[in-house]
Amino acid sequence: MKVILSKRFLLTTVIAILGIGTVSALSFDQQQEFDNAPVVGMYRFVIPSELQGAYNSVGVENLTSSMAQEPNTLSMNVAHVKTNPTTSYVIEMYKDGNALDTHRKSEHFQKYVNEVGSKLTNRKLYDVQPILLMEKAEPLSAINDNTSVVSMTEFTIDKNEEDTILKQYQLDIERAIRDDAGYKAGYILRDRNNKTYWYVIQIYSDDAAYKKHVSSPGYRFAMGQIQPYLKNSKTEVLQGDILVNHGGQSFLRN
């Protein structure tokens, strides 16, 4: 089933999430077709030094309250660049547009926007849609534990080998979810306007779990199968700050 939403609705969403007045990169005078997959938001921004304390405390309150009070807010993830703690990434997942709207109207989110979100700088919105979303069955709650790791890999795929690439990633992520205690979640997203540009986000309990996964026979086999079909691949390993979800998410785009 397809849902038609105006781009003006998307603008309202972006403004609310990032606390900004304009997003010049987007055009909102046409309608865009969205499918009924979960809604995913991905953002990058810089946190001014004077906001670090408030960003952490209000951000924790916002995201943990979302998990406690919003059953259709599926996952909230914040991680910073290890070599540059002021630069953070946020990846949020909602069951649908109504769930996102509920979150935007919540008291805890409005507090976050008023006290922190409107003051962040160097913001970037990634216009993405999910391809695969998988999590361990049990809920995840890693909050400033100073050990959690998030890897983010981005690349351009050979369109003719899309099925092979997705299948190999799917097999490896399913195995890791099933067998590796330290592997918490694997998400694959693609650029909405350039469907050959992909992002793979994977969450680990610590650096040892990350290293175990990338050195495992299953991962090495999968990468060996798909590497010839990837271009300009780069991976950034981030330090997890707030990683929370209800657990059990399992979505695969048909």
Side-chain angles (χ1 to χ4, degrees):
M1 178 181 178
K2 298 287 184 178
V3 180
I4 307 297
L5 298 177
S6 70
K7 285 193 173 182
R8 189 167 300 279
F9 172 80
L10 178 59
L11 172 61
T12 302
T13 296
V14 172
I15 291 174
I17 292 174
L18 297 182
I20 57 182
T22 61
V23 183
S24 59
L26 300 178
S27 172
F28 302 96
D29 58 355
Q30 298 177 349
Q31 287 194 327
Q32 181 171 341
E33 190 176 76
F34 292 84
D35 57 37
N36 60 355
V39 174
V40 177
M42 186 163 81
Y43 323 98
R44 186 189 71 209
F45 43 76
V46 171
I47 309 157
S49 57
E50 65 272 16
L51 274 182
Q52 287 284 345
Y55 172 78
N56 185 62
S57 61
V58 179
V60 168
E61 179 184 353
N62 174 41
L63 300 191
T64 55
S65 295
S66 297
M67 287 294 102
Q69 301 172 25
E70 303 167 13
N72 291 326
T73 293
L74 305 176
S75 178
M76 294 284 202
N77 307 283
V78 181
H80 67 263
V81 177
K82 285 189 173 184
T83 57
N84 184 9
T86 64
T87 299
S88 286
Y89 289 85
V90 175
I91 302 164
E92 303 176 337
M93 302 181 188
Y94 305 88
K95 180 181 178 181
D96 51 31
N98 288 333
L100 173 57
D101 193 49
T102 296
H103 174 70
R104 288 191 296 114
K105 293 177 179 177
S106 67
E107 182 178 345
H108 47 267
F109 178 71
Q110 291 301 318
K111 179 180 179 181
Y112 167 78
V113 170
N114 292 333
E115 296 188 17
V116 178
S118 59
K119 302 172 185 177
L120 301 175
T121 62
N122 296 334
R123 307 172 181 91
K124 179 178 179 179
L125 163 70
Y126 297 81
D127 191 6
V128 295
Q129 56 186 180
I131 301 174
L132 177 150
L133 308 172
M134 291 187 177
E135 300 165 348
K136 272 194 161 38
E138 61 270 18
L140 174 64
S141 181
I143 301 172
N144 294 327
D145 61 5
N146 296 316
T147 61
S148 299
V149 168
V150 179
S151 69
M152 186 167 68
T153 303
E154 53 186 294
F155 46 78
T156 299
I157 67 165
D158 181 336
K159 180 64 176 178
N160 295 325
E161 300 296 336
E162 179 176 2
D163 291 344
T164 297
I165 296 166
L166 178 56
K167 186 62 176 179
Q168 290 299 325
Y169 262 116
Q170 178 188 354
L171 290 171
D172 180 60
I173 292 173
E174 286 177 340
R175 181 206 59 77
I177 290 285
R178 182 185 66 243
D179 297 338
D180 296 350
Y183 188 97
K184 302 302 182 180
Y187 307 125
I188 303 178
L189 315 175
R190 69 185 180 193
D191 188 291
R192 189 182 303 278
N193 301 305
N194 177 9
K195 292 182 171 57
T196 63
Y197 201 87
W198 289 18
Y199 302 88
V200 179
I201 296 98
Q202 302 184 85
I203 298 175
Y204 306 87
S205 60
D206 51 33
D207 193 58
Y210 165 69
K211 291 178 178 176
K212 177 183 178 182
H213 178 230
V214 299
S215 63
S216 66
Y219 178 85
R220 288 184 292 167
F221 176 81
M223 293 303 102
Q225 296 295 303
I226 68 176
Q227 281 296 340
Y229 311 125
L230 308 184
K231 297 178 182 179
N232 302 318
S233 178
K234 58 182 179 181
T235 297
E236 191 160 31
V237 180
L238 309 172
Q239 182 71 58
D241 295 317
I242 309 168
L243 308 170
V244 289
N245 63 45
H246 294 303
Q249 189 170 193
S250 181
F251 167 80
L252 179 64
R253 183 175 293 278
N254 295 325

